[in-house]
Amino acid sequence: TALWSAGNSGNIKAVKLLLDNWADAENADAQGNTLLLDSARQGHDEIVALLLSHDAKLQHQNREGNNALILASQYGYTKITQQLIQAHAELDQKNNKGDTALINAIREGNIAVEVGWFRGTKCYLGSIERKMGSVVIQNREVVCRRTAD
């Protein structure tokens, strides 16, 4: 579609014009990717922000179960990761492999994403909120280690 073409090329003005004229931001490709997922995977932070301002569905998952947060963290896009978290993306949503965005970020070695999430912030593991110290993965689960306050 015209919206996908504009989004994939990073043309923010065209994306805005199309969204303002009722283009369907939730239209998905054969793999179940919406423009939000694709933009998060490609690092188009301005387009992600624009889609979020047009109420793009944060929790939408493609056929592999990946959402925008999982993809942004997997590819190391810290700014997009922060945008999605601030828009209240679910931190514990898992893909078809059982991986969360945090696990993907750590596995891919995206330390900037990991540090951006956890240094001086809070960690949400399921419904448990904890102050972060350091993070390790044990059996696909994130383990928080507390630091002195």
Side-chain angles (χ1 to χ4, degrees):
T1 66
L3 182 61
W4 272 78
S5 294
N8 284 329
S9 66
N11 188 337
I12 188 77
K13 289 181 183 179
V15 171
K16 181 172 179 7
L17 177 68
L18 290 163
L19 288 173
D20 289 345
N21 287 286
W22 307 105
D24 184 6
E26 300 307 319
N27 187 28
D29 66 12
Q31 290 76 38
N33 293 306
T34 61
L35 185 56
L36 178 62
L37 272 70
D38 205 48
S39 297
R41 183 182 56 79
Q42 292 185 48
H44 295 301
D45 56 271
E46 290 180 342
I47 293 175
V48 167
L50 183 60
L51 290 165
L52 292 174
S53 73
H54 280 79
D55 299 322
K57 293 181 182 172
L58 283 171
Q59 307 332 324
H60 175 84
Q61 293 176 284
N62 64 16
R63 291 183 189 254
E64 295 176 347
N66 293 319
N67 62 21
L69 182 59
I70 290 171
L71 293 172
S73 66
Q74 179 176 337
Y75 289 95
Y77 296 118
T78 305
K79 184 174 182 177
I80 294 173
T81 300
Q82 292 169 342
Q83 289 172 319
L84 295 167
I85 291 171
Q86 288 171 353
H88 304 290
E90 290 182 30
L91 298 181
D92 58 352
Q93 190 171 12
K94 295 180 180 180
N95 64 17
N96 296 349
K97 294 177 183 177
D99 295 337
T100 63
L102 173 60
I103 289 173
N104 270 345
I106 295 170
R107 179 180 296 119
E108 295 297 323
N110 295 323
I111 302 304
V113 171
E114 177 188 338
V115 170
W117 271 350
F118 299 112
R119 182 167 293 169
T121 62
K122 294 179 180 177
C123 172
Y124 295 89
L125 306 176
S127 60
I128 301 170
E129 180 181 320
R130 297 183 182 160
K131 188 111 177 168
M132 285 302 298
S134 60
V135 179
V136 294
I137 299 177
Q138 293 179 346
N139 299 324
R140 291 185 117 96
E141 294 297 320
V142 177
V143 177
C144 297
R145 293 194 177 143
R146 295 180 65 85
T147 56
D149 292 332

